[in-house]
Amino acid sequence: MKIISNKNNLQILHEDNHLIVVNKRVGDLVQGDKTGDKPLPEVVKEYIKEKYNKPGAVFLGVVHRLDRPTTGIVVFAKTSKALSRMNELFSNRETQKTYWCVVKNKPQKSHDKLVHYLKRTEKNNTSKAHLKEVPESKLASLDYTIIKELNNYCALEINLHTGRHHQIRAQLSAIGSPIKGDLKYGFDRSNPDGGIHLHARKLVFDHPVTKEKLEIIAPTPDDVIWNAI
């Protein structure tokens, strides 16, 4: 059964005066959409308001986003200073992002760098990976390493060099290894909870205010395949 995050069951990975980092569940929306479902930032605001008994509106800045079917680390800023500095860290690529995913069709190499040009199509909200530059495309680059082989699937660790729309999903699909449950990018059936097996596993960065090095790790969802990894 799918569990959506609320103010009482938030999986908080790190919290201080400036930042709050949450382990996003499948189905949690980082940004509001046409479904009208309550987005995760609103849930986090409710949690802060109640925990600290704050009167009036709560400030919360969204630093980055994860797709709705994806799980793992999402960072929010509790102060405007932290928000502007975190935005700089992300735009200057001064963060180290590691993802885990489960794919079908084991990639040919146990470790490789993938470089494509991604072109986004707004109409169906997808990105297509091209080997050569095409008009309106953006360079996308990542490294993957096989971390576990299962009977029908393969688990990969991904290190992103760029942050493009649906980058991991589109690039792995382009090499014939779509992510489990990802119908949009070529997997043959959906997961029961509507999610995909893509998880923002680790984030390393220097704290925007204290400058202390933070390494945040998000536990994987509790399901048979993740537990086998």
Side-chain angles (χ1 to χ4, degrees):
M1 192 179 96
K2 184 160 75 177
I3 300 170
I4 302 286
S5 294
N6 61 53
K7 65 179 189 207
N8 301 314
N9 71 3
L10 268 183
Q11 300 180 74
I12 294 163
L13 302 170
H14 173 87
E15 184 179 4
D16 59 43
N17 291 337
H18 302 278
L19 301 175
I20 182 164
V21 185
V22 173
N23 191 6
K24 174 189 162 331
R25 294 177 165 96
V26 165
D28 288 343
L29 267 175
V30 178
Q31 188 175 17
D33 67 5
K34 60 180 183 289
T35 62
D37 295 343
K38 184 184 289 183
L40 194 55
E42 293 305 314
V43 174
V44 177
K45 282 182 187 177
E46 288 174 0
Y47 160 83
I48 292 169
K49 190 174 180 68
E50 187 171 290
K51 181 175 179 181
Y52 301 102
N53 198 19
K54 280 186 176 280
V58 171
F59 177 87
L60 191 77
V62 179
V63 176
H64 64 122
R65 295 172 172 82
L66 283 184
D67 301 334
R68 189 166 196 175
T70 305
T71 57
I73 295 169
V74 183
V75 181
F76 299 103
K78 293 164 80 175
T79 62
S80 54
K81 178 160 78 170
L83 178 62
S84 62
R85 289 183 183 176
M86 285 304 297
N87 284 340
E88 272 180 41
L89 285 180
F90 271 80
S91 63
N92 296 337
R93 296 180 194 157
E94 292 170 30
T95 60
Q96 189 186 327
K97 302 177 196 169
T98 304
Y99 288 76
W100 281 5
C101 64
V102 178
V103 300
K104 73 169 183 179
N105 305 334
K106 177 183 163 188
Q108 289 180 344
K109 298 179 182 174
S110 60
H111 175 81
D112 201 7
K113 179 178 182 179
L114 302 183
V115 179
H116 291 94
Y117 291 87
L118 292 194
K119 182 169 181 177
R120 184 171 179 174
T121 305
E122 294 285 351
K123 195 168 134 188
N124 59 358
N125 191 35
T126 58
S127 286
K128 185 168 174 55
H130 299 267
L131 289 172
K132 295 190 173 149
E133 194 169 1
V134 297
E136 296 172 33
S137 64
K138 292 180 177 176
L139 179 69
S141 164
L142 60 79
D143 283 325
Y144 75 78
T145 303
I146 294 175
I147 52 175
K148 181 110 181 192
E149 289 182 50
L150 305 169
N151 288 341
N152 303 310
Y153 304 108
C154 192
L156 309 180
E157 181 167 281
I158 309 278
N159 286 302
L160 281 180
H161 308 144
T162 53
R164 305 299 184 205
H165 174 258
H166 290 184
Q167 179 179 337
I168 299 173
R169 300 166 67 179
Q171 286 196 272
L172 290 179
S173 176
I175 63 164
S177 300
I179 293 170
K180 185 178 182 302
D182 198 355
L183 293 176
K184 201 170 248 193
Y185 287 94
F187 199 82
D188 45 15
R189 62 185 183 282
S190 57
N191 288 341
D193 62 4
I196 62 175
H197 275 75
L198 176 60
H199 181 70
R201 171 67 173 172
K202 186 166 83 167
L203 184 66
V204 181
F205 61 96
D206 292 334
H207 191 286
V209 180
T210 68
K211 305 305 178 192
E212 150 201 23
K213 193 174 200 70
L214 285 181
E215 180 179 286
I216 296 164
I217 294 177
T220 51
D222 182 16
D223 76 26
V224 174
I225 289 177
W226 282 127
N227 292 346
I229 297 160

